[in-house]
Amino acid sequence: MTIEILQAQQQLIVRQRVRLMVNQYEVHAATPDGQEAGLLAFAQQKRLAFKEQVTLYTDDTKQVPVLGFKARQVIDLGATYDVTDAVGAPIGLFRKKFGASLLRSTWVLEQPGYAELVGQERNLFVALCRRFVDYLSWLPYHFDFEINGHVGFSVERKWGFRDTYRVTIHDPNLDRRLVIAMAVALDALQAR
């Protein structure tokens, strides 16, 4: 996968693989009508890490890294995660806004040279149900990441046995690697 191919994507589908002991994700391109197309990346959360860490590769052979994200701190309720490219150079970061997330999960995404994006669960009722009624934690949710008053991208969790997310990118200037990192993090880190 090249950066040019990735940057051309306006929709992505992120699908969790059902595995014991490790979180794995497939990131697919999406056709204009929303159907799953080719695999763009494969992600695996590092097992038993003191700091949360996820690496994305070109495929599930895990031979060629594409990007990754890692927590700066070991334990922090408002942890910051640095996103790096294939060779470890920083390309941005995201962090959870702890206070705002008490009722409705709220994340901040930063891309160098660009305004900050703030993503929040769209539906307060669903957010409250997921937090306070354990057996409803599976409910689908929708995040809108806004920048300067408009939606830069959105992530929508779909109904199903496996966690599946539809990512729609509205702002052509967003680095798709950051969008993918945030979409994977919404599943891998949301319960923390």
Side-chain angles (χ1 to χ4, degrees), residues 103-148:
L103 294 179
R104 195 185 314 196
S105 291
T106 304
W107 293 83
V108 175
L109 181 72
E110 294 182 21
Q111 177 176 316
Y114 213 62
E116 181 175 273
L117 287 100
V118 177
Q120 187 174 60
E121 287 180 272
R122 181 187 285 178
N123 189 313
L124 178 59
F125 178 73
V126 170
L128 292 172
C129 285
R130 288 180 50 253
R131 271 168 193 64
F132 298 114
V133 183
D134 283 341
Y135 65 88
L136 294 178
S137 63
W138 54 268
L139 283 172
Y141 53 78
H142 185 117
F143 277 82
D144 287 320
F145 284 80
E146 295 188 358
I147 181 170
N148 297 327

Side-chain angles (χ1 to χ4, degrees), residues 2-3 8 21 35 41 55 67 69 72-73 87 99-100 119 122 130 133-134 145 149-150 164 179:
T2 66
I3 296 299
M21 306 296 294
Q35 299 302 309
T55 303
L67 67 112
F69 61 88
R72 287 183 182 173
Q73 306 88 352
V87 296
R122 181 187 285 178
R130 288 180 50 253
V133 183
D134 283 341
F145 284 80
H150 72 277
T164 301
V179 172

Side-chain angles (χ1 to χ4, degrees), residues 128-183:
L128 292 172
C129 285
R130 288 180 50 253
R131 271 168 193 64
F132 298 114
V133 183
D134 283 341
Y135 65 88
L136 294 178
S137 63
W138 54 268
L139 283 172
Y141 53 78
H142 185 117
F143 277 82
D144 287 320
F145 284 80
E146 295 188 358
I147 181 170
N148 297 327
H150 72 277
V151 176
F153 72 98
S154 59
V155 179
E156 183 180 2
R157 182 179 179 189
K158 299 301 217 175
W159 293 91
F161 175 67
R162 295 188 299 174
D163 290 343
T164 301
Y165 301 85
R166 180 159 316 279
V167 181
T168 305
I169 304 159
H170 305 283
D171 189 325
N173 298 312
L174 288 176
D175 189 326
R176 301 316 194 253
R177 298 170 298 178
L178 290 172
V179 172
I180 289 171
M182 189 73 251

Side-chain angles (χ1 to χ4, degrees), residues 73 75-81 95-99 101 192:
Q73 306 88 352
I75 297 177
D76 186 358
L77 297 175
T80 297
Y81 298 83
R95 67 181 180 280
K96 192 165 192 177
K97 290 181 80 171
F98 177 71
S101 293
R192 289 169 179 72

